């Protein structure tokens, strides 16, 4: 975190990656990555396809172990040997496919694998009343009001609502650090807006968020810290307001200021900005 | 038996909490977003069927959640049809009813665990030879070795657990299609059963000698109704309860829906699959024992008909062929349909070979109806939001 540490954050970091590298059969997927994640902040992880974002989140969520470097949680060196261990530390991951089963009901999805039960022996059964009450309460708390029937199949929900369900589930089961893998990439403009709003809400609850995206607009509208990965290495790390959008886009495109690419991107912003990120699009990165 | 419908009364108290968020609706969502309504298809761009859905979204949603409704209607219609055509010839007599119910029950005892297995996304073709294995075990143990039926039961159960475990382990460890694994198992068990029977007894129709309470468990009648019918009923109630109300039932559906996602959510998918393979093998062997005792003959070659019949009634009962959805009530109704057609045609005086034709048609219609309703209910509601 060079150049940013002097701005003392309000709280101690939840998670620190120090010099983390990962090799897969000789190929370096990520190299010497330092990343610090604070509570009540949105840490954006940006980069093009193949930049190493997925590897990095798999390390943070316990799927992979780093080949070198260390992970610290609450300041203590920790080994995240499995996703379950990571969950035990309060690290909740919402994958891009949102993990919901479309033909199962909202409440059943919410509690899948962690069903509340009552009774004992052969009459041990799912406590459906608790399941539906908690599900509806948690969803409503995130402002998702269209989902009013806990018995509705998840397949009838929109992509944004499904992401919201997954996020509220992770938060309910104790996530202090929420890793969101491309939660907005498959969504339309309005739906992405809903998910971005949820990210802000989770942040206001004191949750640390790692937000993976390759959409610079989405990153800028919610991000507090930004880490740009290029070919497995940290290309740049900065805080909100320290870069303008064009710089970010250039970084994400590989740092090369190709004139033609620039022009093409400009065109895209012109089209996207009126509907999507009206404020943040033109000037600095959303210094609000 | 549908998880959702039985859950309704208990769910009622949650309605107030769901309503508590209504004030939020206006503040959270600008008017551009149409809140509250599940279906908002853009006018002029209705996909086929969407108009229907717009007009009757509640009904369709219910249908989608209760595919057994379709098969229930089919069962009633078919029953009424045969009652009219064959009623005067004896279709409605107690004897006839008990007879087709017994046929349905034996099929149903296999179809229920197979239904659970298919909901979990796997398939078991070895049920055919497991019926034979159960039957021949009773023949050899009681008729040939003159031992008690209880011993035969223990041995048959042991073989079933072994075969089920083998199927389950192979499917979960190797990720081979269960179709292939269980097809292989079907051949192996059938071949071994035949070999053992012929080498020991020299015949494929081994006389069964069983009496007392153990025999009554498998061959007794209550007002002409075979004990098979009651076994079927008991197994159906137990399975329906497990599927709708227990954690294991939730895991069955999740495993069939998407094993990878289920695993990530903490579901022990391997355990689900292996357990269900053991139950399909156990239930098939159980039917083998039922038949051996009722027909007083142990036959290693019996039961191959069940391989397709059981799968057909599961599908007619609304279980999604790819897994992830289905109910026990549906499977039971599907089995009833089969039983009625099978038993009813005899009393019409028509060629009973039409049974297969009718069942084939019914299955195709059932699958078409179910997939249409499911697609409609899932897709059109989604469009309302993303637009």
């Amino acid at each position: 975190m060079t150049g940013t540490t002097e701005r003392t954050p309000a709280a101690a970091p939840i998670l620190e990656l120090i010099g983390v590298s990962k090799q897969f059969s000789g190929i370096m997927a990520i190299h010497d990555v330092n990343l610090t994640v604070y509570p009540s902040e949105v840490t954006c992880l940006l980069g093009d396809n193949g930049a190493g974002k997925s590897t990095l989140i798999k390390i943070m969520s316990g799927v992979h172990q780093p080949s070198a470097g260390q992970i610290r949680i609450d300041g203590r060196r920790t080994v995240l040997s499995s996703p379950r261990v990571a969950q035990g530390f309060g690290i909740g991951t919402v994958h891009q496919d949102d993990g919901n089963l479309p033909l199962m009901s909202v409440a059943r999805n919410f509690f899948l694998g962690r069903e509340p039960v009552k009774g004992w022996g052969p009459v041990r059964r799912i406590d459906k009343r608790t399941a539906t009450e908690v599900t509806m309460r948690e969803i409503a708390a995130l402002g998702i009001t269209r989902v009013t029937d806990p018995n509705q199949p998840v397949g009838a929900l929109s992509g944004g609502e499904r992401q919201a369900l997954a996020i509220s589930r992770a938060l309910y089961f104790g996530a202090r650090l929420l890793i969101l893998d491309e939660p907005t990439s498959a969504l339309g403009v309005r739906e992405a807006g809903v998910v971005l709003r949820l990210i802000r809400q989770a942040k206001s609850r004191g949750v640390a968020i790692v937000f993976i995206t390759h959409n610079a607009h989405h990153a800028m509208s919610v991000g507090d810290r930004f880490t740009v990965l290029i070919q497995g290495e940290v290309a740049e790390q900065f805080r909100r307001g320290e870069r303008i959008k064009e710089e970010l886009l250039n970084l994400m495109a590989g740092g090369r200021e190709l004139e033609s690419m620039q022009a093409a991107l400009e065109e895209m912003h012109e089209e996207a900005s009126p509907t999507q990120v009206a404020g943040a699009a033109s000037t600095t990165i959303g210094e609000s | 038996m549908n998880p959702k419908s039985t859950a309704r009364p208990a769910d009622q108290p949650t309605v107030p909490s769901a309503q508590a968020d209504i004030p939020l609706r206006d503040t959270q969502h600008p008017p551009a977003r149409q809140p509250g309504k599940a279906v908002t298809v853009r006018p002029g761009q209705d996909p086929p069927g969407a108009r229907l859905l717009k007009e009757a979204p509640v009904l369709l949603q219910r249908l989608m959640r209760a595919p057994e409704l379709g098969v229930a209607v089919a069962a009633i219609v078919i029953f009424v049809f045969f009652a009219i055509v064959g009623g005067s010839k004896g279709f409605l007599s107690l004897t006839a009813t008990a007879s087709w119910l017994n046929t349905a029950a034996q099929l149903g005892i296999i179809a229920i665990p197979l239904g659970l297995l298919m909901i979990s996304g796997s398939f078991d073709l070895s049920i055919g030879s497991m019926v034979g294995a159960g039957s021949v075990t009773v023949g050899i143990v009681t008729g040939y070795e003159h031992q008690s039926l209880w011993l035969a039961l223990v041995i048959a159960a042991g073989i079933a657990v072994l075969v089920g475990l083998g199927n389950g382990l192979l499917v979960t460890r190797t990720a081979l299609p269960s179709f292939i694994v269980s097809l292989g198992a079907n051949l192996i068990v059938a071949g071994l059963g035949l070999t053992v029977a012929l080498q020991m007894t020299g015949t494929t129709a081994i006389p069964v000698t069983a009496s007392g309470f153990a025999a009554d468990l498998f061959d007794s009648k209550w007002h002409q109704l075979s004990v098979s019918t009651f076994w079927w009923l008991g197994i159906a109630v137990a399975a329906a309860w497990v599927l709708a109300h227990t954690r294991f039932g939730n895991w069955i559906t999740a495993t069939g829906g998407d094993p990878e996602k289920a695993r990530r959510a903490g579901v022990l998918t391997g355990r689900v699959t292996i357990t269900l393979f053991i139950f399909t093998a156990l239930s098939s062997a159980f039917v083998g024992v039922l038949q051996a005792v009722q027909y007083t003959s142990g036959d290693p070659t019996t039961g191959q008909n069940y391989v397709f019949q059981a799968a057909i009634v599961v599908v007619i009962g609304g279980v999604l062929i790819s897994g992830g959805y289905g109910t026990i009530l549906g499977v039971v109704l599907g089995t009833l349909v089969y039983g009625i057609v099978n038993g009813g045609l005899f009393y019409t005086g028509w060629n009973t070979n039409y049974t297969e034709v009718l069942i084939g048609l019914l299955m195709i219609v059932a699958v078409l109806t179910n997939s249409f309703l499911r697609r409609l209910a899932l897709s059109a509601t989604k469009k309302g939001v993303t637009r």
Side-chain angles (χ1 to χ4, degrees):
Chain A
M1 299 301 296
T2 51
T4 60
T5 40
E6 69 270 17
R7 301 187 187 193
T8 321
I14 284 185
L15 178 105
E16 296 162 273
L17 301 181
I18 299 161
V20 164
S21 301
K22 178 68 183 175
Q23 278 177 308
F24 291 107
S25 53
I27 294 158
M28 192 69 84
I30 56 169
H31 178 63
D32 196 23
V33 170
N34 294 304
L35 184 70
T36 312
V37 181
Y38 295 94
S40 292
E41 285 197 353
V42 178
T43 304
C44 290
L45 200 53
L46 302 135
D48 209 349
N49 293 336
K53 295 177 304 213
S54 296
T55 307
L56 200 55
I57 61 162
K58 278 176 181 161
I59 286 172
M60 286 191 279
S61 58
V63 176
H64 293 325
Q65 279 68 56
S67 317
Q70 54 169 284
I71 300 170
R72 285 173 181 270
I73 292 176
D74 296 326
R76 272 191 298 274
R77 186 166 181 179
T78 309
V79 177
L80 299 176
S81 50
S82 76
R84 221 176 176 85
V85 169
Q87 277 166 21
F89 281 106
I91 299 173
T93 310
V94 176
H95 295 271
Q96 195 172 354
D97 66 11
D98 72 53
N100 289 308
L101 294 151
L103 288 172
M104 289 177 78
S105 77
V106 170
R108 278 175 186 263
N109 264 289
F110 193 92
F111 280 98
L112 183 60
R114 284 174 283 206
E115 297 86 351
V117 288
K118 60 182 180 185
W120 52 271
V123 291
R124 210 163 84 113
R125 58 202 182 275
I126 298 177
D127 185 351
K128 287 185 184 172
R129 190 169 157 171
T130 304
T132 50
E133 276 176 7
V134 169
T135 305
M136 296 319 291
R137 189 184 69 218
E138 293 300 310
I139 294 175
L142 288 177
I144 299 296
T145 54
R146 205 187 68 104
V147 182
T148 52
D149 179 3
N151 297 319
Q152 197 175 0
V154 160
L157 306 187
S158 69
E161 285 162 348
R162 275 181 275 178
Q163 282 286 343
L165 183 63
I167 291 171
S168 64
R169 175 173 50 204
L171 292 176
Y172 177 76
F173 288 107
R176 300 182 296 141
L177 165 58
L178 194 55
I179 300 171
L180 303 176
D181 185 10
E182 306 261 6
T184 57
S185 62
L187 304 181
V189 170
R190 191 190 301 149
E191 288 278 291
V194 171
V195 171
L196 294 176
R197 180 166 57 77
L198 288 185
I199 293 174
R200 286 196 204 96
Q201 275 178 16
K203 171 186 157 179
S204 69
R205 289 190 192 182
V207 176
I209 292 138
V210 175
F211 176 30
I212 293 91
T213 182
H214 53 230
N215 186 317
H217 303 307
H218 293 168
M220 286 183 311
S221 68
V222 292
D224 296 298
R225 288 166 192 275
F226 300 82
T227 294
V228 181
L229 286 177
I230 293 173
Q231 290 176 1
E233 296 192 39
V234 173
E236 194 119 2
Q237 286 182 316
F238 52 90
R239 294 182 57 142
R240 187 179 190 85
E242 291 178 351
R243 293 287 186 284
I244 62 165
K245 190 191 60 183
E246 283 70 22
E247 289 177 302
L248 185 54
L249 286 166
N250 280 340
L251 276 167
M252 288 173 65
R256 292 182 295 273
E257 288 204 43
L258 299 173
E259 210 62 46
S260 57
M261 188 185 287
Q262 179 87 351
L265 286 170
E266 294 296 354
E267 253 171 61
M268 280 164 54
H269 311 157
E270 299 303 330
E271 284 166 21
S273 52
T275 50
Q276 176 57 31
V277 278
S282 51
T283 56
T284 59
I285 297 171
E287 188 71 66
S288 49
Chain B
M1 306 284 175
N2 180 25
K4 284 82 189 181
S5 57
T6 47
R8 271 290 149 69
D11 294 344
Q12 291 305 340
T14 66
V15 173
S17 78
Q19 283 169 345
D21 63 11
I22 286 175
L24 275 173
R25 231 174 234 169
D26 303 322
T27 53
Q28 296 285 348
H29 301 296
R33 187 193 167 92
Q34 295 184 329
K37 269 272 94 52
V39 185
T40 51
V41 180
R42 204 157 57 169
Q45 287 203 346
D46 290 2
R51 214 168 62 92
L52 182 70
L53 190 84
K54 193 159 51 177
E55 283 156 10
V58 180
L59 178 72
L60 269 172
Q61 286 246 333
R62 286 211 183 122
L63 271 179
M64 190 256 138
R65 286 181 207 175
E68 62 267 34
L69 215 69
V71 66
V73 171
I76 291 166
V77 168
I78 289 165
F79 183 81
V80 169
F81 171 79
F82 282 113
I84 293 167
V85 180
S88 58
K89 297 178 186 110
F91 173 67
L92 293 174
S93 71
L94 190 57
T95 316
T97 307
S99 165
W100 70 254
L101 268 177
N102 188 32
T103 310
Q106 292 185 3
L107 174 58
I109 290 169
I110 298 174
I112 287 166
L114 182 68
L116 292 179
L117 184 72
M118 285 171 70
I119 293 170
S120 85
S122 293
F123 210 83
D124 190 355
L125 294 172
S126 68
I127 48 177
S129 53
M130 277 313 300
V131 174
S135 176
V136 78
T137 304
V138 173
I140 291 174
V141 173
T142 66
Y144 185 75
E145 299 283 356
H146 305 292
Q147 300 294 318
S148 82
L149 183 58
W150 295 112
L151 182 65
L153 281 181
V154 171
I155 293 172
I159 295 170
V161 169
L162 223 62
V163 171
L165 201 63
N167 276 331
L169 283 172
L170 261 177
V171 167
T172 52
R173 295 286 157 83
T174 64
L176 282 174
S178 55
F179 191 88
I180 300 298
V181 170
S182 61
L183 182 61
N186 192 43
L187 293 177
I188 293 166
V189 174
L192 285 177
L194 192 59
T195 310
V196 169
L198 286 175
Q199 288 206 336
M200 284 183 80
T201 68
T203 171
T204 60
I206 310 155
V208 168
T209 52
S211 59
F213 177 63
D216 287 345
L217 276 179
F218 301 100
D219 184 24
S220 49
K221 284 196 161 68
W222 181 79
H223 290 284
Q224 296 199 41
L225 278 181
S226 165
V227 68
S228 318
T229 318
F230 298 100
W231 279 112
W232 180 33
L233 193 69
I235 291 169
V237 169
W241 193 79
V242 166
L243 184 62
H245 296 288
T246 69
R247 171 178 276 192
F248 188 72
N250 211 36
W251 289 10
I252 290 172
T253 315
T255 302
D258 188 326
E260 176 56 37
K261 287 177 177 179
R263 245 191 312 276
R264 271 192 335 228
V267 174
L268 303 168
T269 55
R271 188 186 291 180
V272 170
T273 305
I274 292 169
T275 307
L276 292 178
F277 266 112
I278 291 174
F279 274 108
T280 51
L282 275 173
S283 70
S284 320
F286 184 86
V287 169
V289 174
L290 274 177
Q291 292 192 346
V293 177
Q294 286 181 13
Y295 312 148
T296 62
S297 171
D299 182 354
T301 61
T302 188
Q304 292 297 338
N305 285 345
Y306 287 124
V307 174
F308 288 115
Q309 284 174 6
I312 286 166
V313 300
V314 167
V315 170
I316 290 179
V319 171
L320 197 56
I321 192 96
S322 54
Y325 198 71
T327 61
I328 295 301
L329 179 59
V331 174
V332 168
L333 289 168
T335 312
L336 278 176
V337 166
Y338 196 100
I340 294 166
V341 172
N342 203 33
L345 266 171
F346 174 78
Y347 292 96
T348 60
W350 302 341
N351 189 339
T352 48
N353 291 333
Y354 284 127
T355 307
E356 260 64 49
V357 179
L358 213 57
I359 292 294
L361 283 172
L362 275 171
M363 188 181 71
I364 291 170
V365 170
V367 173
L368 278 177
T369 315
N370 287 334
S371 77
F372 174 71
L373 286 177
R374 194 174 293 107
R375 206 177 52 230
L376 215 59
L378 284 182
S379 72
T381 42
K382 249 187 303 190
K383 280 202 177 75
V385 194
T386 43
R387 278 292 83 221

